Each structure stands twice: as C-alpha cells, then as structure tokens.
Amino acid sequence: DDNTQPMRVGMGQYSKKAEAKHYENPTVMEFINLESFCDRYKNKEGRPNTLWEDITVSHTAFNSLIASQSDNYYSYFNDLKQWAGDNRRQVKIKDKNGNERLLPAYVDIKDGEFDPIEIYAYYIGLYINNMHNGIYMHYLLSFPVTYEMKVREKIINSFKRGLKKSLPVYVLHDEEAMKKFRVEQGPSEPAAYAICALEQYGFDPEDDEKVFYGIFDFGG
C-alpha cells in the first residue's frame, strides 16, 4: 500500500514536527510507585486508570535515566531484551518509593505475576490505540535470531495481554472485533531490516532472480 506511513510511538506529542528519533522507541522503564500501578492495572479489564506518575516508559523513561543519580539505579530497567533472552537471569528492581522486587528469569514468570514486558506492551498499546491513531487489531513482532521458541511464544502472550489492556472495554466486549485481534511472529529483526532497506534502495528483482545481501547486527 503506497499510503502506508510509519507511526510515531513513545513520544506522545503529535503536534510537534516529526523527527527521526520519534520513530524509535527506547526500551526503558522507570519505576516510581509499583504498588499503586499494579493495584490500578488489575482493577479494570481494559484501559485501567493507571497513572503515568507511577511507571513511565520509552523517551520519558530514557530522558529520566540520563539525568538520574546512582542511588536510583534499580528504578530503571533498560535490559528488557537481554533479560527476556536469558533463562537464568534474575533482576532486582526498586521503585522510587523504596518498594523492592526480585524478578525471576522471564521464562519463569507465571500468569498473573508482575510482567514488565506485558506492562511495556500495554504502554505501547496506549501510544498506538487512541483518538489520534484509531484502534489497531493486528500486530507483528520481530525477534532477535538468538531467542528460543519458548521465549518468543511467551513474549507474544505477554504482548497479547498488554495490548488487550490498552483497548477500550467496549472493544474487548465486541466478539466480532476481537476475532480480528492477533499478535503474531513476523520476520527476524535482521530480515525485517533487510526488507525495508532493499525497498528503500530500489531493489525490485524479478521473481526468479536472487539477490544476495548481508546484515551485520552488532546488538542494541
């Protein structure tokens, strides 16, 4: 579709002139009041009355991290991808109110337990599904090639729960609308980059023509 345009995610200031950084979404979370956030998050099926003052993500969290002092080190989580891909890695978080949690390895988090990836997906959903953009029901996720299948499947399920929380309740109760809701695995990150890059550089091979390419991925 020639009318397809990239969406600015994570900024929240749509009146500003678009910049390249608006299309990048820093994978950072800032924990301010975990207990308050979790209580509010559980109280409503869709669009819970959570407060931005309790947990921030993306550019806001990243800018706060850059300006933070060392005594707030555990209030920021910027290793979501590394944590999710490591079956043995535990993470300590401590919000700015002093509440501490020790997160197990991502694959060991059970349904109903605090899941940072679900919360991150919830915020991404709020950035996408709103009065400015409309409501979206189909999502494709790309993964690092090193992620095991069980990790990919768990991330997809976390995103399903988080994205559903970002939808209005009337949409969640619309059976026909929810039949369209899908969160699926797309191409790997290097392959997704290659698809975009080759299109931008004007590669349009014939059906039987092979195009050889290399992607050098040095990580985040």
Side-chain angles (χ1 to χ4, degrees):
D1 186 347
D2 292 338
N3 293 320
T4 300
Q5 297 291 329
M7 180 183 292
R8 287 186 284 178
V9 175
M11 291 298 296
Q13 298 169 320
Y14 300 110
S15 60
K16 286 191 173 183
K17 182 180 178 181
E19 300 178 30
K21 67 179 182 180
H22 294 175
Y23 300 98
E24 299 175 0
N25 195 49
T27 315
V28 184
M29 303 181 72
E30 177 190 18
F31 302 113
I32 303 167
N33 192 329
L34 270 173
E35 290 185 1
S36 172
F37 179 90
C38 290
D39 288 344
R40 290 173 176 273
Y41 187 76
K42 294 175 181 177
N43 275 341
K44 198 174 177 184
E45 184 181 5
R47 292 285 176 88
N49 298 319
T50 54
L51 297 177
W52 184 245
E53 291 81 5
D54 289 339
I55 293 182
T56 71
V57 300
S58 304
H59 293 277
T60 300
F62 177 75
N63 291 336
S64 180
L65 170 62
I66 296 300
S68 68
Q69 298 179 351
S70 59
D71 54 353
N72 286 325
Y73 175 80
Y74 291 109
S75 299
Y76 298 92
F77 194 5
N78 62 346
D79 291 334
L80 277 172
K81 289 175 65 175
Q82 293 83 351
W83 170 66
D86 188 337
N87 293 339
R88 297 170 296 178
R89 184 172 183 178
Q90 297 180 327
V91 173
K92 175 185 175 182
I93 57 176
K94 181 179 179 181
D95 71 17
K96 293 186 176 180
N97 278 12
N99 301 307
E100 291 188 21
R101 293 191 186 213
L102 181 63
L103 298 177
Y106 174 60
V107 293
D108 293 331
I109 287 184
K110 298 178 176 60
D111 290 348
E113 294 183 342
F114 180 71
D115 180 352
I117 291 183
E118 175 184 336
I119 303 306
Y120 187 79
Y122 160 68
Y123 271 115
I124 295 300
L126 292 179
Y127 279 124
I128 294 173
N129 299 305
N130 52 53
M131 294 177 65
H132 180 83
N133 296 320
I135 301 295
Y136 289 79
M137 305 296 282
H138 186 199
Y139 300 84
L140 291 176
L141 302 182
S142 65
F143 298 98
V145 293
T146 56
Y147 276 11
E148 299 177 30
M149 185 54 65
K150 65 179 179 180
V151 174
R152 300 181 187 207
E153 291 173 352
K154 189 171 182 66
I155 290 175
I156 286 174
N157 287 328
S158 293
F159 261 76
K160 282 181 179 178
R161 292 192 299 269
L163 289 169
K164 280 184 178 180
K165 277 280 189 176
S166 76
L167 298 175
V169 173
Y170 74 85
V171 176
L172 294 172
H173 290 174
D174 187 329
E175 293 184 6
E176 290 302 313
M178 291 310 297
K179 287 179 182 178
K180 301 176 183 178
F181 181 80
R182 302 196 306 279
V183 181
E184 301 172 317
Q185 178 175 329
S188 68
E189 289 179 347
Y193 170 79
I195 292 169
C196 296
L198 292 174
E199 285 184 351
Q200 289 298 312
Y201 283 113
F203 284 93
D204 188 18
E206 301 293 336
D207 292 339
D208 58 349
E209 181 184 357
K210 292 183 179 179
V211 175
F212 296 93
Y213 64 90
I215 302 296
F216 298 87
D217 184 355
F218 297 103

